[in-house]
Amino acid sequence: MLSGLSYIGYQRAASGGATFTGKQASTGADLPGTFHSASPDDVEAAARLAGQAFPAFRDLPGQVRGAFLRTIAANIEALGQTLTDRAMAETGLPEARIKGETARTCGQLRLFAGMVEEGSWVDARIDHADPARTPLPKPDTRSMLRPLGPVVVFGASNFPLAYSTAGGDTASALAAGCPVIVKAHAAHPGTAGLVAGAVVEAARSHNLPEGVFSMLYDAGLEVGTALVRHPLVQAVGFTGSRAGGTALAKAAAERPQPIPVYAEMSSVNPVFVLSGALAERGAALGSALAASVTAGVGQFCTCPGLVIYDRNSDIQPFQEALQSALAAALPGTMLNAGIHTNYLSKRAALAGHEGVSTLLELESPGSSGGAGLYATTVKAVLADAGLTGEVFGPATLLIAANGPNEILEVARSMEGQLTATVHGAASDVPLQKDLMAILETKAGRLLGAGVPTGLEVNQSIVHGGPWPATSDGRTTSVGGAAILRFTRHVCWQDCGDALLPPALQESNPLKLSRLVNGVRQG
């Protein structure tokens, strides 16, 4: 599984282009295994196989796709400590985090398995004909969600399992009936190879058409760009930087047939701490926020990078607890050298801004990221929106507002976010409601308590938001609704049961919940 060659359907690529190695995150040393970037011929072969597999895979019963997803999960779990050790080495993440992410990955796969086995996710809608209707007869129309076609998924640097080879994008696309081509992330190629082997063996064990899954290596940008531009590819899933997501979206939009790119790109996840909450539980909130900022060395996409408060409040217990907890946090190994360098650069730019004061800045030796705490004002932020840009790492910026009006004004000025949090007390409810009304237009998930890090994977969760948090704020990349990204509604008019998919046939052989003549049945 660590041969270093891409998976092209059930085969390994015969050869490849440039070679590269996985790196020990903590030292930069080479890890075992030489990996070969996929060639243009590999890209073409993977896309062609995916296109050929699509018609048969699309029409497989939900029970078959569900069993496939469950087998992937079981195969990943069977990798055991081998997978854990490799992922730890390549990312610097601790064992508990890797094992937790493995469990989340397998849980996501089983969540989608249950959905496709039950089947009502297809949103079947039926309106019966009425030949006697005047002045024109009413036709019989029936619609349901159908898969788009082959999907390209880009592995994410900060989640080597849950957002990578068999992560949420892959699971939701396969559940929808779309073949998947993964472009493995060069920062954790060994982890990607192990998981890809688990997926390929699952597909083979269920006798699925070759091309339902492929995985390509590349140390650069060529393979990913070529995949996005390939005419057989119909959608893209991406988690990464704003620059990367924007480039992919541009390439997809410039195709003769533009396709959707679902890119999660950038979020600073503002936390508003209102006066009543500061008075009631300021110290506890400060400690909790510090734990959220430093979780995963600040490399979660939901890391709280901004904290807004009323300067007329008693901020001291909150700030002291926050600063003390951040100072006590040991610098952790960052995912790779590039992320570490970028973090130090962004942190230095923030500290050097004339409108910002540095409250705490821990050393970041080697590949480690030490915490940073900075302070500014709403006035400075409104004068320079760059102050609210993402610093990917364990740093956060305190923003002092001069009263409720400035709090609302800075909320209105913000870009799109994955999350927004508002901590309040009973006395804060009017302002809290006004804030929530604004933030509803700015974020995909609103929190009235707790911290934004940590994401429940279920049917109601939303992990997405307006630009630039994601390229399409109408979708989620986590939870059951993620399956909708890789589908579209198709309508059959006056076709009759012989021509209809089982989900739309009059006898309802799949026993689905359906909307029939405007009334939910089943």
Side-chain angles (χ1 to χ4, degrees):
M1 290 183 182
L2 292 179
S3 73
L5 296 173
S6 299
Y7 279 94
I8 314 295
Y10 293 146
Q11 312 302 318
R12 305 305 294 268
S15 61
T19 60
F20 63 100
T21 59
K23 301 291 185 182
Q24 183 92 28
S26 57
T27 65
D30 289 343
L31 289 168
T34 299
F35 299 89
H36 299 259
S37 293
S39 68
D41 287 344
D42 294 333
V43 171
E44 179 61 34
R48 177 170 36 81
L49 280 175
Q52 291 170 353
F54 175 53
F57 187 57
R58 171 189 63 193
D59 291 332
L60 285 175
Q63 297 296 326
V64 176
R65 288 211 300 275
F68 170 44
L69 294 170
R70 293 185 190 280
T71 302
I72 295 173
N75 288 355
I76 291 172
E77 289 168 340
L79 291 169
Q81 198 64 34
T82 299
L83 176 62
T84 300
D85 290 344
R86 182 72 189 202
M88 288 171 61
E90 289 182 329
T91 65
L93 297 172
E95 183 171 20
R97 161 70 189 275
I98 294 298
K99 288 187 172 179
E101 197 176 323
T102 302
R104 171 176 165 176
T105 302
C106 295
Q108 289 175 157
L109 287 159
R110 292 183 173 115
L111 171 75
F112 287 112
M115 288 179 61
V116 297
E117 288 163 350
E118 189 277 331
S120 294
W121 72 273
V122 300
D123 190 25
R125 297 165 178 254
I126 297 172
D127 284 280
H128 288 122
D130 181 3
R133 190 186 69 174
T134 59
L136 294 174
K138 177 186 175 186
D140 183 280
T141 55
R142 303 172 185 231
S143 70
M144 62 182 287
L145 291 169
R146 296 294 278 160
L148 293 177
V151 171
V152 169
V153 171
F154 286 78
S157 64
N158 60 336
F159 280 87
L161 296 162
Y163 282 94
S164 290
T165 306
D169 288 343
T170 297
S172 56
L174 291 174
C178 299
V180 170
I181 305 169
V182 169
K183 207 292 283 184
H185 199 287
H188 40 77
T191 303
L194 289 167
V195 176
V199 180
V200 169
E201 288 308 308
R204 195 193 303 270
S205 70
H206 288 280
N207 296 313
L208 298 183
E210 186 174 12
V212 160
F213 176 84
S214 294
M215 186 208 69
L216 305 183
Y217 285 118
D218 187 26
L221 305 175
E222 292 80 6
V223 168
T225 302
L227 285 169
V228 171
R229 289 177 174 161
H230 197 284
L232 290 173
V233 170
Q234 297 300 299
V236 176
F238 171 84
T239 297
S241 68
R242 189 189 303 200
T246 301
L248 293 179
K250 184 175 185 291
E254 290 174 347
R255 291 172 30 140
Q257 176 222 355
I259 59 172
V261 173
Y262 299 108
E264 181 199 308
M265 299 180 292
S266 178
S267 183
V268 291
N269 308 291
V271 176
F272 294 80
V273 189
L274 305 185
S275 299
L278 286 172
E280 281 187 2
R281 54 190 189 280
L285 288 173
S287 298
L289 188 69
S292 184
V293 170
T294 56
V297 202
Q299 297 165 118
F300 287 145
C301 45
T302 50
C303 178
L306 304 177
V307 181
I308 301 93
Y309 69 96
D310 188 337
R311 70 192 318 163
N312 303 304
S313 307
D314 183 8
I315 190 66
Q316 185 173 352
F318 172 86
Q319 184 173 321
E320 287 180 350
L322 172 62
Q323 190 164 334
S324 175
L326 289 176
L330 295 175
T333 300
M334 301 198 81
L335 290 161
N336 57 61
I339 287 174
H340 180 250
T341 299
N342 187 60
Y343 172 60
L344 295 183
S345 174
K346 292 288 184 67
R347 195 175 74 163
L350 190 61
H353 194 285
E354 63 180 5
V356 174
S357 58
T358 299
L359 303 179
L360 172 74
E361 195 169 73
L362 297 186
E363 300 249 348
S364 295
S367 59
S368 297
L373 180 62
Y374 309 92
T376 189
T377 64
V378 167
K379 183 179 179 180
V381 165
L382 295 177
D384 183 1
L387 283 174
T388 60
E390 183 179 40
V391 179
F392 193 65
T396 196
L397 176 66
L398 297 180
I399 303 174
N402 188 20
N405 287 338
E406 275 201 357
I407 290 176
L408 296 175
E409 187 176 6
V410 77
R412 292 189 191 98
S413 73
M414 286 183 173
E415 293 184 315
Q417 307 290 337
L418 292 171
T419 75
T421 305
V422 184
H423 287 288
S427 59
D428 298 316
V429 168
L431 177 56
Q432 197 169 15
K433 290 177 69 174
D434 288 344
L435 258 178
M436 287 286 193
I438 295 169
L439 296 172
E440 180 185 338
T441 69
K442 303 288 185 177
R445 179 163 57 107
L446 305 179
L447 289 81
V451 295
T453 45
L455 196 63
E456 190 68 26
V457 181
N458 56 27
Q459 293 294 348
S460 58
I461 198 69
V462 172
H463 191 60
W467 181 278
T470 55
S471 57
D472 189 335
R474 298 168 297 176
T475 68
T476 177
S477 63
V478 177
I483 199 172
L484 304 178
R485 294 173 301 165
F486 303 119
T487 64
R488 63 185 181 90
H489 273 99
V490 177
C491 178
W492 285 257
Q493 183 169 323
D494 292 333
C495 286
D497 270 8
L499 302 178
L500 291 172
L504 296 178
Q505 290 172 9
E506 190 64 24
S507 63
N508 194 10
L510 302 181
K511 308 301 181 188
L512 303 182
S513 172
R514 308 189 299 187
L515 193 66
V516 180
N517 298 324
V519 178
R520 177 63 59 185
Q521 295 184 0

